[in-house]
Amino acid sequence: FKQEIFLRYARPNQNIQFIGLGKKSEMKLNRLREALILASAHAGRLKVPSLTLHLSSVGSFEDYTVKEVTQAAVESLVLPLYKFTPFKKEAKENSGVKTVTVAVDTAEELTEGKKGLEKAKLFIDSCNLVRNLVNTPHNALKAPDLANMAQDVAKKVGLKVTVFTEKELQKEGFGALLAVNQGSDIPPRFVILEHNSGKKELDTICLVGKGITFDSGGISLKPADSMETMKDDMAGAATVLGIMEMVAKLNLPLHVVGFMPITNNMPSGKATVPGDIVKSYLGKTIEILNTDAEGRLILADAVAYADKNYKPTLLMDFATLTGACVIALGEAGAGIMGTDQASMDKLKKLSCFTGDKVWQLPLWEEYREELKSDIADLRNIGTGRGAGSSKGGMFIQEFISSKTPWIHFDIAGSAFISKPTHRYYPKGATAACVRLVSEFLINWPHH
Ligand SMILES: [Zn+2]
């Protein structure tokens, strides 16, 4: 598979694209996805206004149905066409592909294909919501703005929504979240979104996402070049909102609750300084030795709140948490870790279908030692340099009951790509894990 595209003259104003897919015996759905992403990007460059894919001619893929292949094809063709333009003086109309058509051979394929198309459209809409939020700069999306956006989405799709302001956070004892917000002039927010509220017979899934609208590092200030893209540090919260939107639109038979702890992380005369000790929502005290390890602080309070008040069947958290994850996996996929091996295996399998990659990292007990503080219950960074992603995950784990199945997604590399080398998306926000986790919830074994 050489990823070459040949264009051949067909009729005036019509081109046919031929894409080499390799040996039929080695055909995987992911290869079709990659080929169509290339085709779409190429058509975009050529400013071709419409694209038609004859799906039946490509044959079968592993055990996937026409519905699934259509969904994959539409996502692959449409997701790469995304452009973020609200801040351009002249918001040029999309000069590239405007319509995508999928052609099939039989009436049966058409019925199935339409279902796949509808699902792909929902997925693409939620991905674009997430990409727009993550790409929006901090001066246009501060904590109250993101909370308002979440309220708007909730209203539109029928989710129950609750927003805590500083007053409620103080009353509830969100000491770690408030410590991160302490240096800021902008108040924090904590958003709770609920689907199928009050339906006790359903399994409860809690989704928690890190919402740092801008991360300067706080008093442990980041160097300038590491700060450039830190508007993306709320990608976890945006991911939760995107998944919640999809869950509501599909009306899944699950009780799903999304949590978005939101603040920026700024240095100032009143900011938390290294060495400060704070009391978390759960009661455990934290010695904050590096104010740039702030994501795990706001998540500590958020996961503890979710766990204690909602007793989830499964708790998942999403965060652009560690640079170590970017070192380990680059921008191609997310690191996952947790205590629910069966669900993580399912996610890995679904990542082959969605092309939304995850790779499991360990939670070895050796690392936990490093999170112990001499004078508090925990320190927010390890004592050594290695295994930063695992230690970040294990810090969050300290705030969840050992009885609650839990999975942590470190999307530090995959949520926002700085170079256009990634084949799947244009540079910037990617909505990593949104399609994967939505697919996972759709496939949840409902009783
Ligand atoms: Zn940070």
Side-chain angles (χ1 to χ4, degrees):
F1 179 48
K2 291 197 182 125
Q3 303 171 357
E4 282 169 12
I5 298 168
F6 303 97
L7 278 158
R8 235 167 64 169
Y9 175 75
R11 274 189 241 153
N13 305 322
Q14 267 193 7
N15 293 301
I16 301 176
Q17 276 195 35
F18 295 93
I19 310 164
L21 293 172
K23 284 185 188 156
K24 197 167 183 185
S25 57
E26 292 165 14
M27 197 60 207
K28 294 259 189 279
L29 186 67
N30 224 20
R31 189 175 284 179
L32 177 72
R33 278 192 184 272
E34 289 179 13
L36 294 179
I37 287 159
L38 283 171
S40 173
H42 197 59
R45 276 193 297 274
L46 290 174
K47 304 197 188 309
V48 170
S50 68
L51 211 55
T52 302
L53 172 72
H54 186 202
L55 201 54
S56 308
S57 62
V58 293
S60 61
F61 296 88
E62 301 158 270
D63 294 328
Y64 295 115
T65 61
V66 175
K67 179 185 165 188
E68 288 166 330
V69 176
T70 309
Q71 181 196 340
V74 174
E75 286 173 12
S76 306
L77 287 169
V78 178
L79 282 170
L81 301 170
Y82 170 85
K83 283 192 180 78
F84 184 67
T85 55
F87 294 87
K88 292 273 193 193
K89 187 176 170 223
E90 285 167 55
K92 271 191 214 140
E93 213 194 305
N94 186 1
S95 59
V97 180
K98 285 192 188 68
T99 58
V100 171
T101 309
V102 180
V104 290
D105 286 343
T106 66
E108 203 178 82
E109 284 176 343
L110 186 65
T111 313
E112 282 303 296
K114 273 183 179 165
K115 286 182 200 159
L117 174 72
E118 285 310 312
K119 203 168 147 205
K121 273 160 91 176
L122 286 181
F123 276 35
I124 291 160
D125 282 348
S126 289
C127 284
N128 287 348
L129 165 74
V130 174
R131 292 198 279 188
N132 285 340
L133 287 172
V134 176
N135 282 329
T136 301
H138 177 246
N139 62 346
L141 193 77
K142 300 193 171 75
D145 306 319
L146 183 52
N148 289 342
M149 280 294 302
Q151 279 180 301
D152 289 348
V153 171
K155 211 170 147 192
K156 215 167 65 195
V157 298
L159 291 163
K160 184 185 165 194
V161 61
T162 313
V163 180
F164 287 2
T165 61
E166 220 165 355
K167 210 175 95 195
E168 288 88 17
L169 291 168
Q170 269 157 3
K171 201 174 131 232
E172 294 281 346
F174 281 61
L177 169 55
L178 290 168
V180 176
N181 181 255
Q182 204 171 292
S184 178
D185 290 331
I186 298 151
R189 290 287 186 270
F190 183 61
V191 180
I192 306 169
L193 303 156
E194 202 168 356
H195 170 68
N196 280 332
S197 167
K199 293 197 181 164
K200 291 220 156 50
E201 72 282 11
L202 302 173
D203 284 344
T204 297
I205 313 289
C206 286
L207 310 169
V208 185
K210 170 183 172 183
I212 296 290
T213 52
F214 180 76
D215 184 14
S216 69
I219 295 295
S220 310
L221 200 65
K222 288 178 187 291
D225 56 351
S226 306
M227 221 190 276
E228 269 177 24
T229 58
M230 280 302 121
K231 64 177 183 183
D232 79 347
D233 219 11
M234 36 56 76
T239 301
V240 166
L241 184 59
I243 298 167
M244 290 305 298
E245 182 188 57
M246 199 113 60
V247 163
K249 280 186 177 172
L250 292 166
N251 195 18
L252 295 186
L254 282 166
H255 176 217
V256 190
V257 198
F259 303 85
M260 302 162 65
I262 314 169
T263 174
N264 60 6
N265 182 25
M266 299 296 278
S268 80
K270 48 184 186 159
T272 294
V273 300
D276 280 359
I277 297 175
V278 297
K279 192 174 165 195
S280 68
Y281 174 82
L282 194 64
K284 284 188 182 178
T285 57
I286 307 162
E287 187 182 9
I288 300 174
L289 288 152
N290 188 322
T291 63
D292 196 11
E294 83 298 334
R296 62 197 68 185
L297 296 174
I298 68 168
L299 285 170
D301 281 352
V303 297
Y305 184 86
D307 192 28
K308 190 178 160 204
N309 296 289
Y310 291 84
K311 303 266 176 288
T313 319
L314 174 63
L315 190 157
M316 292 187 271
D317 78 81
F318 305 86
T320 44
L321 205 72
T322 64
C325 192
V326 191
I327 301 296
L329 303 175
E331 296 181 331
I336 55 169
M337 58 202 89
T339 55
D340 184 347
Q341 192 58 47
S343 288
M344 286 191 288
D345 290 341
K346 244 183 242 169
L347 284 162
K348 280 185 258 180
K349 197 159 172 259
L350 282 170
S351 84
C352 297
F353 170 57
T354 56
D356 202 352
K357 294 189 180 77
V358 290
W359 195 256
Q360 191 176 346
L361 298 169
L363 294 173
W364 288 329
E365 284 307 312
E366 286 90 330
Y367 307 145
R368 204 178 300 277
E369 281 303 305
E370 286 194 26
L371 295 172
K372 287 181 181 156
S373 161
D374 294 335
I375 54 172
D377 296 325
L378 290 161
R379 35 186 293 145
N380 77 327
I381 48 163
T383 46
R385 281 188 65 215
S389 302
S390 296
K391 285 177 208 161
M394 289 175 104
F395 180 89
I396 295 165
Q397 189 183 11
E398 289 290 327
F399 298 86
I400 303 164
S401 155
S402 58
K403 291 188 198 87
T404 304
W406 156 76
I407 305 169
H408 163 63
F409 293 71
D410 193 332
I411 54 172
S414 56
F416 192 93
I417 52 179
S418 51
K419 291 182 285 291
T421 51
H422 197 289
R423 286 200 299 254
Y424 283 75
Y425 302 108
K427 72 180 190 178
T430 62
C433 293
V434 172
R435 290 182 300 114
L436 173 68
V437 175
S438 300
E439 205 64 70
F440 172 75
L441 294 177
I442 291 167
N443 286 282
W444 185 266
H446 305 115
H447 319 291

